[in-house]
Amino acid sequence: MTATTADAPPPELRLPKRRGVELALLVGAVLISVFGYAAVGLTHDGAVPPDVAGYGGGLGALALLAHAAVRFRAPYADPLLLPIAVLLNGVGLVLIYRLDLETPRDQAAPTQLVWSTLGVALFTAVVVLLRDHRVLQRYAYLSVAAALVLLTVPIFFPAVNGAKIWIRIGGLSFQPGEFAKILLAVFFAAYLAANRNALAYTGRRAWKLQLPSGRVLGPIVAIWLLSVGVLVLERDLGTSLLFFGLFVILLYVATGRTGWIAVGLLLASVGAFAVGSFEPHVHGRVQDWLDPFASIDAGRGPGQLAQSLFAFAAGGMLGTGLGAGHSILIGFAAKSDFILATAGEELGLSGLTAVLLLYALLVARGYRAGLALRDPFGQLLAIGLASILALQVFVITGGVMGLIPLTGMAMPFLAQGGSSVVTNWIIVALLIRLSDVARRPHPEQVETGVVAAAGEADR
Amino acid sequence: MIRHIRRAAAFCLLLLVALLVNAARVQLFEAGELDDNPANRRDAIARHDQPRGDILVGDRPVTGSEDTGEQLGFERTYLHGPLYAPVTGYASQTYGTTLLENAEDGVLSGTDSLLAPLPFWNEFTRSRQPGGDVVTTVEASMQRAAYEGLRGRRGAVAALDPSTGAILALVSTPSYDPERLSGTGAAVTDAWTRLNASTTMPMLNRAIRQTYPPGSTFKIVTAAAALDSRTVTDADAATDTPSPYVLPGTRTTLPNEAKGCEEASLADAIRVSCNTVMAHLGVEVGLDGMVEAAEKFGFNDAGLRIPSGVARSNFDTDMSDDQLALSSIGQFNTTATPLQMAMVASAVANGGDLRRPHLVDRVTTDDGDTVRQEGSGASAWAMSPSTAVQLQRMMVEVVENGTGSNAAIDGVEVGGKTGTAQHGVDNSGLPYAWFISWARAPGSGRPAVAVAVVVEDASADRADISGGGSAAPIARAVMEAALDEAEAARR
C-alpha cells in the first residue's frame, strides 16, 4: 500500500491515491490469466503452452502501459477499474484461446489480442489526452449526429447471421453500433444535464403524474423511434434495448420523475411487443426463449440456446475445468455471443459468479464515481457508462441463460469482437477520468476543511 | 439526484441478483434434467472418450475398442461379430445399445458405482472409471457348434447348464456383424437400414426374443403336469385315449403322425410323440393344473432377465377344453422362446429343480478384480423329483428307441424330445422343427447340458421336416461340445 504523493497537499488532507493497490491487483489479474492459459494447455496437451511467458508478458506489458498512464495522468482514479478490466480481458483471451483449440482452422485469439492492444492504446490515449471530462459536453450534438451516422451505415452492408450491424471494409469488419453507445451516453448526459429542470418541472399534472410538456417530449419520442428503428432495420434487439434502458435510467436520475419510467416502460413494451410479433428474426428469438427445446422435439436437433443451456448445466457447481468442456457444440457463436457458456461450463457456477461479480464491481465503481462527482454532466456520464456495462451484461447473460430472449450482443471484454473490446476500454478510460476527478482533492476542501467524498468514504 | 442515483444502482443490483438466481437455476436445479436430455451430446462424448470395457467368453474378450480420433473417440469392435451377436448385442454410437451391451452398460462404460473406489464416488466427482469387463457363462466351443450346425438357416439354439442355470450357448441365425453399427455416418445408417429391411431379420435374437409354437416338445410339460397332479400314476399303464381323438365339445378330430397311439401309455406317447394321448391328458389335468405346471417351468413370465429381457412364453389361462387340448400339445396359442424350452429340458435333467438362466458369470474392474459374482441362478421346483426321474427315463427312450435317434451319442446318457410345430394360416407355413435334449456324461452325477434347438425353414420338403431330422443333429453337436468341455475340465 504505497500511496505516493505527487504534489504535497496539506498534511491533514492527505487523500490516498491507491496506485500501489492498483499495481498489486494488476499483478494478480495478469497472474490469474496466465494460470488459466497454462491450465488450458495442461488439460488439452498435458503440457504448459510454450508461449505462456509470451502471453503473460504481453498482457503484463499492456497492463503496465495502462497503469503508467493512470499513475501519471489520473493519479486519484479508482484503483479497481483497471485491474478488473485487465482480468476480464485476460480471462476472455484464455477462453477464446481454449475454444480455438477446437477449431484449428479458425483462430480468433491472435486477432483478439491485437484488438485488445488497440483497446489499451486508445485507453491510454483517452486518459492522457482527456484532462477534463467536461470538454465532452461541448460535443453533445456532434456526438448524437455521429452516433446516428454510425448506426445507419451498416444498413447498406449485407447482413451477418440475420443482423445488419457490421461494416466490412476489405478484410476488416467492425460494428459501429458499439462506438455509438459511448457517443449516445455523452449526448444523453449532456442533454439531460442541460434540461434537467425543464424536464422535471414543466408540463401538466395529470392525476399524480407530472407529465412532460410537448417541447421536451420531442427528443424522447425521437430516441424511442430511433431505438425501434434500429431494431427493425438492423434486427438488433440487444442494442435497441440497451439504448432504451440507458435513456430511461439517465432520465430518471436527472429528473427523479417516476412518471418517466412508467412512460418509458410502456413505450418500450409496446415497441418490443410489436417488433417481437411482426419481425420474423426477433419473433424467432422470442419463440426460442419460450421453448428452447422445440427444435429437439421437432427432430431438428438442439438450437444454440439449448446447447448453451446444456453447457451451463454441464458445468454445475465447480465446472469441468478449463479445456475439459464441450461448449464448442454451441456452434458458430461460441466465441462471441456465447462465450459465457464456456465460462459457465468450465468454471462452473462458482467461476461464473466470480465473473459476474467482477462486472458488478466495475458497475458499482462507476456509480460510486457518479455519486462523488459534483457536476451534473459528470454524474450522468458516469452513471450512463456504468449502466451501459450493467445493461450489456444483463442482456447477454440473461439471453444465453434463458432468462430473457436472446439478443446478439458481446459480453464486455470477454467475448470475441474487436469493436466491443475497443469500445469497452474507452468506457473504462472515461470512468478512470471521472473517478479521478471525483476523488481529487478540491481547492475549496482546503478552505473549508470539509473532506469531500473520496472513494473510501462510504455514503 | 444522489437519491436517484442510489435507486438506479439498486436497480442494477436487482439485475445482478436476477442473473445469479437464474444461473443457479440452470446450473444446479435444472442441471440434471438438461444433462439427461437426449439431444445433449456430452454424455455420448464422455462415454466414448475412453475404451469401453470388454465382454469375455471363457477368458478371451470377444469385443474391443478402437480410437477413431473423431468427436466420439472410441468405437466398438467385435472379434466374432455374427457368432456372438445374440449374446453381446451391439453398442452403436448412432443407435444405442442392446442385449448385454445394454444391460451391463454401466459396467462397460465405467459409470457403475461397483467400479468406483468409494460409494457415490462417481456421482460426487462426476467422473468415470475405466470400463469394467463382463465375463459371460458362454462356452466358445458350444456356441460355435450351434452356429455351424444351423448353417445360416433361420433358427436358434439355447443351451444351459442344468445345475447352475448358466447359459452355455445362445445362437440365432442368420446373424449380423454388430461392428457395422458401431460408428456414425452413412455406412452405419445404410447397414442399419439394410439389416432392418432384410426379410431374414438378422438382427432378431431368435433365442430369447422370438417365440414359436413349441409343438410336441411341449408334451414334456404336459407329461410333468399329468404325473405331478397324479392324473397318471403309472407312466407305463395304458391310457383310454382313442385315435384319432375328437376334441372335446367339437367335431374336430385330432390325428396322429405316429403309429400305435391308440390307448398308448404316457411313456410310449412321449417316445413316439402321440398327439392324441397328450391332448387328452392335458384336458384331464384340467386348465388350472396345466397353467400351474406351465408357469412353474417359466411360461407366462414377462419378467425374466438374463440380464437382457426375455420374451414372454405363453400358455393361455382362459380356454375351452378343445383349445386346452391343442395347447397341451404345443399348438393353439402356446408359444415359447428357445430359451424357455431349454429351461424345460434343464428342469427335467436337474431332477425337477429349475435354475434361473443367467448369462453373466462375473463382472470385473479394468484390472480384473471381481466386483460382482453371479453364482448359480435362483432355483425353483418345476416338478417333483420323482416326476423328473420318470421324465428323464422317457426322454432317454425318445433318443434310444423313438423319434430322437439322431441325437444319440455313444456311451452317453442323452434324453430328448422332438417337435414339429404347425403355424401359419391353416398351418400353411413351413412347420418349425424343434428338438430339446439334455446329456449326462457317464459316471457323472450332474447333467452336463440342456439344449433347445429350433429351425424355422428346415427344408423345402414338408415330409422331411421333423425335429428329429433337422434339429436333433445340431443339438447333438452342441452336447458333444459340452461333454468335451466337461471332460477337459475333469482332466
Side-chain angles (χ1 to χ4, degrees), chain A residues 196 249 252-253 256 293 296 302 309-314 316-317 326-327 329 344-345 348-349 352-353 356 360 367 370-371 379-380 383 390 393-394 397-398 401-403 459, chain B residues 1-12 14-16 18-20 22-28 30-35 37-42 45-46 49 71 126:
Chain A
R196 269 171 69 201
I249 287 177
Y252 171 73
V253 169
F293 307 111
I296 298 173
L309 290 174
F310 289 161
F312 280 108
M317 189 73 213
H326 300 287
S327 50
L329 291 169
E345 178 167 10
L349 180 62
L352 184 69
T353 305
L356 289 176
Y367 267 86
L371 281 169
Q379 285 179 320
L380 289 170
I383 303 304
V393 170
F394 178 76
T397 309
M401 298 194 82
L403 183 64
R459 308 175 11 163
Chain B
M1 187 101 152
I2 298 289
R3 199 159 38 108
H4 306 147
I5 292 179
R6 288 184 181 283
R7 283 195 191 149
F11 171 71
C12 290
L14 199 68
L15 295 185
L16 174 76
L19 289 182
L20 290 176
N22 183 57
R25 171 185 73 94
V26 173
Q27 298 202 260
L28 302 182
E30 289 177 11
E33 196 183 324
L34 288 162
D35 285 339
N37 190 308
N40 191 344
R41 282 174 64 80
R42 278 170 184 72
I45 292 172
D49 209 33
Q71 185 184 48
R126 288 188 164 198

Side-chain angles (χ1 to χ4, degrees), chain B residues 51-104:
Chain B
R52 190 170 169 81
D54 283 324
I55 295 173
L56 278 67
V57 170
D59 48 9
R60 290 208 196 86
V62 296
T63 59
S65 276
E66 117 188 292
D67 191 355
T68 57
E70 291 161 11
Q71 185 184 48
L72 301 179
F74 283 90
E75 262 179 34
R76 194 51 142 179
T77 58
Y78 293 87
L79 215 56
H80 306 289
L83 174 61
Y84 290 108
V87 176
T88 60
Y90 56 78
S92 163
Q93 294 179 351
T94 314
Y95 299 107
T97 55
T98 53
L99 301 178
L100 212 49
E101 294 272 29
N102 176 269
E104 294 293 352

Side-chain angles (χ1 to χ4, degrees), chain B residues 173-442:
Chain B
T173 54
S175 191
Y176 69 104
D177 188 352
E179 192 169 325
R180 293 169 60 194
L181 303 175
S182 287
T184 51
V188 170
T189 49
D190 287 354
W192 173 264
T193 316
R194 243 196 345 274
L195 287 170
N196 277 299
S198 168
T199 50
T200 58
M201 293 193 283
M203 282 170 69
L204 173 66
N205 188 343
R206 294 171 163 82
I208 60 170
R209 296 282 167 86
Q210 176 69 304
T211 58
Y212 302 90
S216 305
T217 55
F218 190 80
K219 290 171 184 170
I220 300 297
V221 177
T222 308
L227 289 165
D228 262 354
S229 64
R230 321 283 303 152
T231 308
V232 173
T233 46
D234 179 359
D236 295 316
T239 55
D240 58 344
T241 316
S243 174
Y245 168 67
V246 182
L247 295 179
T250 68
R251 274 185 277 172
T252 314
T253 54
L254 180 69
N256 280 309
E257 305 274 324
K259 301 264 185 300
C261 285
E262 183 111 24
E263 306 209 340
S265 68
L266 174 60
D268 282 339
I270 292 288
R271 182 171 57 85
V272 296
S273 204
C274 296
N275 291 339
T276 50
V277 177
M278 301 313 296
H280 183 210
L281 278 177
V283 177
E284 288 205 336
V285 170
L287 181 63
D288 293 348
M290 280 304 296
V291 168
E292 189 193 351
E295 289 184 351
K296 279 203 283 190
F297 278 99
F299 281 82
N300 295 347
D301 175 11
L304 180 59
R305 300 269 176 278
I306 62 165
S308 315
V310 178
R312 176 180 178 275
S313 302
N314 182 68
F315 187 83
D316 272 5
T317 53
D318 183 15
M319 297 183 275
S320 57
D321 274 354
D322 55 317
Q323 295 167 337
L324 175 61
L326 287 172
S327 293
S328 301
I329 55 167
Q331 300 283 358
F332 190 56
N333 282 342
T334 305
T335 57
T337 59
L339 181 68
Q340 172 62 62
M341 293 321 290
M343 286 159 71
V344 171
S346 154
V348 172
N350 203 36
D353 177 13
L354 174 62
R355 297 283 176 163
R356 202 180 55 80
H358 60 276
L359 190 53
V360 175
D361 177 50
R362 63 187 187 275
V363 167
T364 71
T365 64
D366 186 42
D367 310 330
D369 303 328
T370 299
V371 290
R372 194 176 85 215
Q373 179 81 40
E374 283 282 341
S376 57
S379 77
W381 289 103
M383 64 196 115
S384 69
S386 64
T387 300
V389 169
Q390 294 183 74
L391 278 174
Q392 285 175 13
R393 187 172 57 87
M394 294 181 215
M395 287 179 79
V396 170
E397 273 295 298
V398 170
V399 174
E400 289 182 354
N401 305 312
T403 53
S405 54
N406 277 340
I409 303 171
D410 276 352
V412 179
E413 187 184 10
V414 177
K417 179 73 193 82
T418 53
T420 306
Q422 314 285 348
H423 73 105
V425 183
D426 293 336
N427 297 338
S428 59
L430 279 177
Y432 299 126
W434 273 97
F435 194 74
I436 65 173
S437 66
W438 48 267
R440 193 198 320 265

